[in-house]
């Protein structure tokens, strides 16, 4: 299909750290993977914090900053929008955007509650627009390469998946009580970072059938109330008053995949010294692979080499032989790196490929239905934790 020369107009709702990553991704989409997309019009960034929105619009070359998401929904010239705000706001914003005929890329987790997520997935089934969710790690060259190893059977029959996402953004007890600490069990570390590692696990190793042995805990039960807006995980001025933390700082559970594979998972936002510690190992009867986001330009791979003297884990450096790298970086040479920012560019390109009907698109973005499934797994983990670790079955993939 030949794409139109008419510009494709995009906007971002939310100017925090993830919102800026979406904004930068849209700015870069026509620099990667060759021709195909029409020109991109960087229309607007919307944020109730007007100064923050104006700064993001200036930094990333957007035409204007808007003070409300409603202004984006009401603008007939905007075609596609990223929703990058607090989880509880996803449902009303997505509903308004879809009703206005706009394509929607929503950050994970899909919504602030399972009820809202189910409503959003129902709208997706009848919507005449592209709807997608921001599971950015699917675009990591190393993770995508490990998935290819698994799909080609190069690890043999899988025997173990061990995934973790350990972060330190909530280790400081004086950190403000932002929206991230509000909501019931499952909306804390599980929803914020656990949703990523659950999605990566199913992306690499297939559907999860049941969870058990779950445990949730909160290390810092009270936090000071902020005196103003809190941006991302940043520090902010706080008052002498404190409020209750309503969700979990850490969580762990085991899983059984539909294939029979066993998985172990742990997530924490109070893991000192680990700024962005997504990592996993996948092991089979004939090989193993491992990835660590703190070293995103490589992964470890080990298989049954014919000569036992040469067996052992090998460091695979990201280069044009890995997914997304060829055509996705300015210098297509091994060892020049790979970053989380690149993943946002690849995600934005994949989303706009779908919107524009590009003839040879990147792999499609996860859907609202995919993200609803992740939330159902999170709900099952919470249920297991509330019932002494009892096993909870996950509905099979449709």
């Amino acid at each position: 299909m030949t794409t139109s020369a008419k510009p494709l107009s995009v906007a971002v709702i939310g100017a925090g750290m993830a919102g800026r990553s979406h904004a930068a991704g849209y700015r870069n989409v026509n620099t990667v993977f060759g021709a195909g997309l029409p020109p991109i019009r960087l229309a607007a960034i919307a944020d109730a914090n007007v100064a923050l929105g104006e700064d993001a619009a200036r930094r990333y070359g957007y035409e204007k900053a808007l003070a409300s998401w409603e202004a984006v929904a009401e603008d007939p010239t905007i075609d596609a929008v990223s929703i990058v705000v607090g989880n509880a706001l996803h449902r009303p914003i997505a509903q308004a955007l879809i009703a206005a005929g706009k394509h929607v890329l929503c950050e994970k987790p899909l919504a602030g509650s399972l009820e809202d997520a189910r409503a959003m997935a129902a709208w997706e089934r009848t919507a005449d627009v592209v709807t997608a969710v921001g599971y950015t790690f699917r675009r990591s060259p190393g993770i995508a390469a490990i998935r290819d190893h698994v799909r080609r059977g190069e690890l043999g029959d899988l025997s173990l998946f061990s995934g973790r996402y350990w972060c330190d953004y909530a280790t400081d007890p004086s950190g403000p009580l932002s929206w991230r600490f509000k909501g019931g069990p499952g909306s804390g570390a599980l929803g914020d970072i656990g949703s990523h590692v659950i999605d990566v696990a199913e992306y690499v190793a297939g559907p999860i059938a049941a969870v058990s042995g779950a445990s949730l805990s909160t290390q810092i039960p009270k936090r000071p109330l902020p005196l103003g807006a809190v941006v991302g995980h940043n520090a902010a001025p706080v008052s002498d008053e404190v409020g209750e933390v309503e969700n979990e700082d850490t969580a762990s559970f085991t899983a059984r995949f539909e294939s029979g594979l066993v998985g172990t998972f742990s997530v924490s936002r109070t893991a000192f010294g680990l700024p962005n510690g997504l990592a996993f190992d996948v092991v089979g009867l004939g090989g193993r692979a491992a990835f660590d986001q703190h070293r995103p330009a490589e992964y470890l791979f080990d298989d049954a080499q014919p000569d036992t003297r040469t067996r052992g884990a090998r460091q695979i450096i990201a280069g044009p032989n890995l997914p997304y790298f060829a055509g996705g970086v300015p210098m297509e040479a091994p060892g020049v790196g790979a970053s989380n920012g690149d993943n946002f560019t690849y995600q934005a390109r994949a989303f706009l490929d779908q919107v524009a009907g590009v003839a040879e698109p990147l792999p499609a973005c996860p859907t609202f239905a995919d993200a609803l499934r992740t939330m159902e797994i999170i709900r099952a983990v919470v249920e297991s934790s509330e019932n002494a670790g009892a096993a909870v079955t996950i509905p099979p993939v449709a």
Side-chain angles (χ1 to χ4, degrees), residues 89-162:
L89 295 174
H90 290 183
R91 177 179 177 172
I93 297 175
Q95 184 174 21
L97 294 175
I98 292 171
K102 302 185 189 304
H103 308 282
V104 177
L105 172 57
C106 183
E107 255 304 326
K108 60 79 223 164
L110 182 58
S113 70
L114 191 56
E115 177 187 4
D116 284 356
R118 286 171 175 161
M120 292 171 69
W123 301 334
E124 178 179 66
R125 290 194 290 269
T126 58
D128 191 27
V129 294
V130 173
T131 48
V133 175
Y135 281 124
T136 324
F137 289 108
R138 291 192 182 201
R139 307 294 169 180
S140 164
I143 292 175
I146 291 173
R147 182 179 190 248
D148 288 344
H149 287 304
V150 170
R151 289 200 159 192
R152 290 193 296 258
E154 293 167 357
L155 304 184
D157 292 336
L158 299 185
S159 56
L160 174 67
F161 180 95
S162 178

Side-chain angles (χ1 to χ4, degrees), residues 334-362:
V336 299
S339 75
N340 202 43
D342 295 327
N343 297 346
F344 277 94
T345 295
Y346 306 156
Q347 174 179 271
R349 176 63 190 256
F351 174 54
L352 296 183
D353 278 357
Q354 291 174 259
V355 170
V358 170
E360 296 183 3
L362 292 184

Side-chain angles (χ1 to χ4, degrees), residues 206-233:
I208 292 172
V211 300
S212 61
S215 177
L216 276 61
S217 63
T218 304
Q219 281 69 59
I220 303 174
K222 294 180 184 292
R223 291 182 175 273
L225 301 181
L227 291 173
V230 181
V231 180
H233 301 312

Side-chain angles (χ1 to χ4, degrees), residues 7-71:
L8 187 59
S9 179
V10 300
V12 178
I13 297 173
M17 61 180 188
R20 293 177 181 224
S21 298
H22 280 252
Y26 287 129
R27 183 180 184 179
N28 292 329
V29 288
N30 266 322
T31 70
V32 295
F33 307 119
L37 283 180
I40 303 301
R41 174 186 166 227
L42 305 176
I45 294 181
D47 200 293
N49 184 333
V50 175
L52 187 70
E54 289 176 342
D55 181 65
R58 176 190 61 80
R59 285 173 182 262
Y60 300 104
Y62 283 69
E63 293 176 5
K64 59 188 173 184
L66 299 170
S68 71
W69 64 261
E70 290 91 346

